[in-house]
């Protein structure tokens, strides 16, 4: 059975039966006098109307800079939001930075930044400490490889698990050939690349392996799932930091296989890396696009709990991309002052607005998808609770 090792996530006995998670609840409190009154019907945010409990928002009376650090998958998207956010709320400035999801959670916890970006949901302990993880978009993760002359490669979670454990050492291995009949595979050495930093991408990839190879990677003696794990000792393995580092390492290493957040998809493709089709739980081989990502989300979105903790990995159902996730902003529900709390509500409300941060043109730049409508009331409630 699979397990979650890092940050005290979830016991091994629970993982195999998880399709979605909903642990705990986010409450709401009375809006402060510095903001407009929240409504229970609709609220205008950046020119858009949402029909659910809406957080109280308004332009702060003085300039506020919101610092963010964390996920390198989320970082490019947040960069895209800086200018339009300023157009919607002239006194709110977003200042994002990368560094990995682990850093994002730590920085938000310790007050080093006001917000942390994370591809991984929070643990029960972190949620109990006053932190909230607010979902703002849907993302995914690609598997790229460096095999000149080989295209349309198919891979499974079991094969990837064996590659990252050093059990499959060449690309011409029979297990790879079985998935790719008729493809001339070279005897090139497999070079598995993994993140060196505490990473939400690692959380997603190892979660996929734990579910797709429950008796191997996810077994009690296996590496399990986490933002950091004890990687098997593989002589050819390499490490890199951030998604740009993963792309660069794979480009420089023929035989490489690497997990890369979808916001870096265009960059990876532009340097000539191949994108593998992954086998989903139904047995289909799929690449990450709007249809396959939303197919996966649709399998579990209706069961997302009020604290927005959700496992979207290795979803059931045909043509469901197997490495899909919510992108989270981690923030303290109780802020030091009302003005900062208002600015954070402004940003988060803008981020999920279909005419704001979730406008199709903005999401498309990083291959993100909007949150499902069934989740938006819970997101709005979590935003309203930030005081």
């Amino acid at each position: 059975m699979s397990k979650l090792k890092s940050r005290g996530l979830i016991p091994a006995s629970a993982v195999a039966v998880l399709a979605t998670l909903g642990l705990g609840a986010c409450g709401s409190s009375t809006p402060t006098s510095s903001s407009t009154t929240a409504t229970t019907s609709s609220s205008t945010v950046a020119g858009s109307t949402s029909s659910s409990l809406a957080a109280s928002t308004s332009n702060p009376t003085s300039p506020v800079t919101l610092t963010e650090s964390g996920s390198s998958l989320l970082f490019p998207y947040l960069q895209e939001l800086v200018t339009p956010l300023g157009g919607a709320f002239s006194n709110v400035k977003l200042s994002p930075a990368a560094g990995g999801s682990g850093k994002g959670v730590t920085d938000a916890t310790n007050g080093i930044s006001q917000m942390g970006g994370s591809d991984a949901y929070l643990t029960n302990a972190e949620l109990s400490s006053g932190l909230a993880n607010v979902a703002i978009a849907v993302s995914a993760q690609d598997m790229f490889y460096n095999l000149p002359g080989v295209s349309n490669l198919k891979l499974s979670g079991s094969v990837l698990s064996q590659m990252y454990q050093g059990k499959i050492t060449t690309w011409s291995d029979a297990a790879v050939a079985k998935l790719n009949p008729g493809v001339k595979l070279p005897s090139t050495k497999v070079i598995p690349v993994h993140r060196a930093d505490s990473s939400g991408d690692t959380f997603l990839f190892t979660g996929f392996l734990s579910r797709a190879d429950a008796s191997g990677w996810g077994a009690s003696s296996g590496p399990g799932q986490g933002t950091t794990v004890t990687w098997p000792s593989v002589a050819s393995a390499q490490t890199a930091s951030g998604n740009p580092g993963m792309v660069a390492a794979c480009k420089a290493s023929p035989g490489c296989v690497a997990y890369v957040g979808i916001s870096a998809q265009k960059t990876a493709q532009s340097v000539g890396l191949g994108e593998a089709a992954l086998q989903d739980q139904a047995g289909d081989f799929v690449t990450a696009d709007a249809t396959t990502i939303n197919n996966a989300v649709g399998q579990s979105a209706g069961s997302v709990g009020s604290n927005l903790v959700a496992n979207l990995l290795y979803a059931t159902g045909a043509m469901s991309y197997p490495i899909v996730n919510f992108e989270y902003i981690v923030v303290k529900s109780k802020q030091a002052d009302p003005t900062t709390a208002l600015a954070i509500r402004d940003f988060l409300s803008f981020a999920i607005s279909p005419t704001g941060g979730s406008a199709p043109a903005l999401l498309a730049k990083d291959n993100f998808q909007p949150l499902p409508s069934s989740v938006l009331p819970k997101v709005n409630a979590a935003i309203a609770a930030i005081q």
Side-chain angles (χ1 to χ4, degrees), residues 1-3 12-17 210 213-222:
M1 297 184 68
S2 57
K3 57 183 177 173
S13 60
V15 174
V17 297
S210 293
D213 182 27
S215 62
W217 194 277
S220 59
S221 59

Side-chain angles (χ1 to χ4, degrees), residues 243-287:
N243 280 307
M246 293 290 281
V247 172
C250 200
K251 170 61 178 175
S253 306
C256 153
V257 61
Y259 54 92
V260 178
I262 199 170
S263 63
Q265 184 186 78
K266 294 173 185 175
T267 301
Q269 292 170 339
S270 72
V271 299
L273 298 181
E275 180 185 359
L278 298 183
Q279 189 174 39
D280 65 13
Q281 192 171 157
D284 302 310
F285 286 92
V286 291
T287 54

Side-chain angles (χ1 to χ4, degrees), residues 42-253:
S42 66
S43 175
T44 300
V45 179
S48 173
T49 301
S50 59
S51 58
S52 55
L53 175 66
S56 55
T57 62
S58 65
N59 195 38
T61 57
S62 58
V64 179
T65 296
L66 296 177
T67 57
E68 181 276 342
S69 62
S71 165
S72 63
L73 196 170
L74 184 59
F75 176 60
Y77 174 62
L78 295 182
Q79 287 181 301
E80 298 286 352
L81 300 191
V82 172
T83 298
L85 174 66
F89 298 100
S90 60
N91 277 337
V92 180
K93 179 182 178 181
L94 177 64
S95 179
S101 296
K103 175 176 171 57
V105 174
T106 299
D107 286 356
T109 301
N110 295 333
I112 296 172
S113 60
Q114 287 136 329
M115 302 186 299
S118 179
D119 319 314
Y121 46 75
L122 294 175
T123 67
N124 287 338
E126 288 163 339
L127 289 165
S128 298
S129 73
L131 291 176
N133 44 202
V134 181
I136 62 170
V138 176
S139 184
Q141 184 181 88
D142 291 307
M143 291 305 304
F144 281 101
Y145 61 92
N146 184 347
L147 288 177
V150 177
S151 58
N152 302 317
L153 189 71
K154 297 176 181 178
L155 295 173
S156 67
S158 175
V159 163
L160 285 166
S161 173
Q162 292 177 71
M163 287 179 170
Y164 275 82
Q165 292 181 75
K167 296 178 180 179
I168 291 178
T169 59
T170 64
W171 282 98
S172 57
D173 187 277
V176 185
K178 184 178 180 180
L179 299 178
N180 296 275
V183 177
K184 185 173 177 57
L185 294 168
S187 58
T188 306
K189 182 194 306 181
V190 174
I191 300 175
V193 183
H194 61 80
R195 291 282 287 271
D197 48 334
S198 179
S199 163
D201 279 295
T202 295
F203 179 86
L204 299 175
F205 179 61
T206 57
F208 166 56
L209 296 187
S210 293
R211 289 159 178 82
D213 182 27
S215 62
W217 194 277
S220 59
S221 59
Q225 178 181 12
T227 54
T228 59
V229 299
T230 301
W231 292 96
S233 179
V234 179
S236 62
Q238 295 184 14
T239 62
S241 294
N243 280 307
M246 293 290 281
V247 172
C250 200
K251 170 61 178 175
S253 306

